[in-house]
Amino acid sequence: MTLQLGQSTPFARGGNRLCFVHPDHADRCVKVRRPDFTLEDLRRKKGFPKNLRPLSSFDDNLEEFRVMADIDRRVGEEAYTLVSRCFGFEDTDMGRGLTSELIRDADQGISHTLKQVIWDHGYSDDLRAAVARFGTAWSRLGMPSRDLLVHNLLVQRGADGEILRLVAIDGLGSASALPEGWRTLRSRQARSARKVANLHERIATLLAARERGEFPGTHGLLMHDGRPATAEQPTKDQLPEERQT
Ligand SMILES: Nc1ncnc2c1ncn2[C@@H]1O[C@H](COP(=O)(O)OP(=O)(O)O)[C@@H](O)[C@H]1O
Ligand SMILES: [Mg+2]
């Protein structure tokens, strides 16, 4: 059956996709292509020679689905302590949607991004420890990712507001043309460790901007908290405009 999303408010918007709470499963999200930034727009923006590639090669949902299947095969159950589970595609009134585990805190609010948590609360000791745990496991398992961006990592909290873990929800896969299977585990681990080192640099950059009082932009902020509908939810006209993956 076709899921109806068009009349509801997404809880977040990335550079490429809109994220909705799944209408039939409160613990899943559905990601669809942004209607105001289509695959054709994205391909045009890339310029020559990338714009010669087929449209499907620009499709984040397709790429994420493939990468998640690969992670499931190669890494297995342990991967899901670090990334959200993927449940495959469903048809929606906004095109094909990719469904995945919706990361919520114990109080049922959708978890905030690392970017927002650092911006709101700074880099506390418990957050630092959670980033360290995430980084160690990410490297040990050789998880495949592009750059680990602060708005693509979520900070999940427990019942007392304590930090349970960090979860990556976007940016998985590899920019390299080399198939994953051709790499040794050691080479995958080295690549993941580089991405973790780079994450620490990004955190330092964000903290420096925070020190200077430079607002880092609305990207990575939630549009609503995903709890059952309240009057507080913004209307579509109030959604932030920014675009960035
Ligand atoms: N599984 C999820 N659970 C909770 N929040 C999510 C989940 N996936 C995405 N989000 C939120 O939606 C935002 C945009 O999603 P993302 O997958 O990064 O889209 P894009 O590919 O367009 O960048 C994220 O920054 C995050 O705040
Ligand atoms: Mg993103």
Side-chain angles (χ1 to χ4, degrees):
M1 226 191 53
T2 303
L3 298 176
Q4 302 297 316
L5 304 176
Q7 294 306 310
S8 37
T9 308
F11 68 85
R13 173 161 69 182
N16 295 301
R17 299 179 289 183
L18 293 180
C19 305
F20 293 88
V21 177
H22 192 296
D24 305 328
H25 303 275
D27 56 354
R28 295 188 183 184
C29 72
V30 189
K31 301 190 189 186
V32 295
R33 185 78 214 163
R34 281 173 50 170
D36 60 327
F37 189 51
T38 62
L39 283 182
E40 285 85 353
D41 294 335
L42 177 61
R43 178 162 69 178
R44 221 170 290 126
K45 202 178 137 197
K46 292 287 177 190
F48 185 81
K50 277 198 174 163
N51 59 7
L52 299 178
R53 294 194 194 156
L55 264 192
S56 61
S57 74
F58 295 90
D59 185 340
D60 292 64
N61 269 354
L62 198 56
E63 160 81 1
E64 192 166 290
F65 178 72
R66 289 192 183 129
V67 172
M68 287 307 299
D70 188 64
I71 289 176
D72 195 80
R73 247 195 339 260
R74 204 175 299 283
V75 183
E77 203 51 33
E78 230 186 326
Y80 301 115
T81 59
L82 303 173
V83 297
S84 56
R85 272 172 207 278
C86 180
F87 299 113
F89 287 99
E90 285 188 53
D91 284 329
T92 84
D93 59 350
M94 300 184 72
R96 224 156 64 117
L98 188 61
T99 61
S100 54
E101 175 192 8
L102 177 55
I103 306 299
R104 292 185 186 263
D105 296 340
D107 69 3
Q108 291 308 303
I110 295 173
S111 300
H112 289 180
T113 60
L114 178 60
K115 177 178 170 181
Q116 176 161 10
V117 173
I118 289 180
W119 188 257
D120 288 346
H121 307 293
Y123 202 25
S124 60
D125 288 346
D126 54 343
L127 183 56
R128 206 178 283 269
V131 171
R133 283 196 303 275
F134 174 87
T136 304
W138 195 260
S139 307
R140 178 172 57 82
L141 295 176
M143 294 292 284
S145 69
R146 296 158 194 277
D147 286 345
L148 290 166
L149 305 179
V150 287
H151 52 265
N152 287 335
L153 293 169
L154 302 183
V155 179
Q156 189 177 35
R157 293 183 186 273
D160 297 321
E162 78 281 14
I163 295 174
L164 299 177
R165 59 171 181 153
L166 255 60
V167 187
I169 48 78
D170 182 26
L172 301 169
S174 165
S176 150
L178 198 65
E180 272 302 280
W182 290 14
R183 289 177 180 268
T184 61
L185 176 61
R186 197 172 278 242
S187 134
R188 279 184 265 137
Q189 288 172 324
R191 175 198 50 200
S192 307
R194 281 196 299 278
K195 297 301 182 189
V196 170
N198 176 263
L199 169 64
H200 286 290
E201 283 172 30
R202 286 171 193 278
I203 291 173
T205 304
L206 177 59
L207 283 168
R210 185 174 185 265
E211 278 295 300
R212 293 192 300 270
E214 277 169 19
F215 184 61
T218 54
H219 196 82
L221 300 182
L222 290 177
M223 293 164 178
H224 66 77
D225 67 8
R227 292 193 182 90
T230 64
E232 321 242 307
Q233 292 182 5
T235 63
K236 289 209 182 70
D237 314 335
Q238 292 170 308
L239 302 180
E241 273 313 311
E242 213 176 323
R243 169 177 303 163
Q244 184 196 341
T245 39

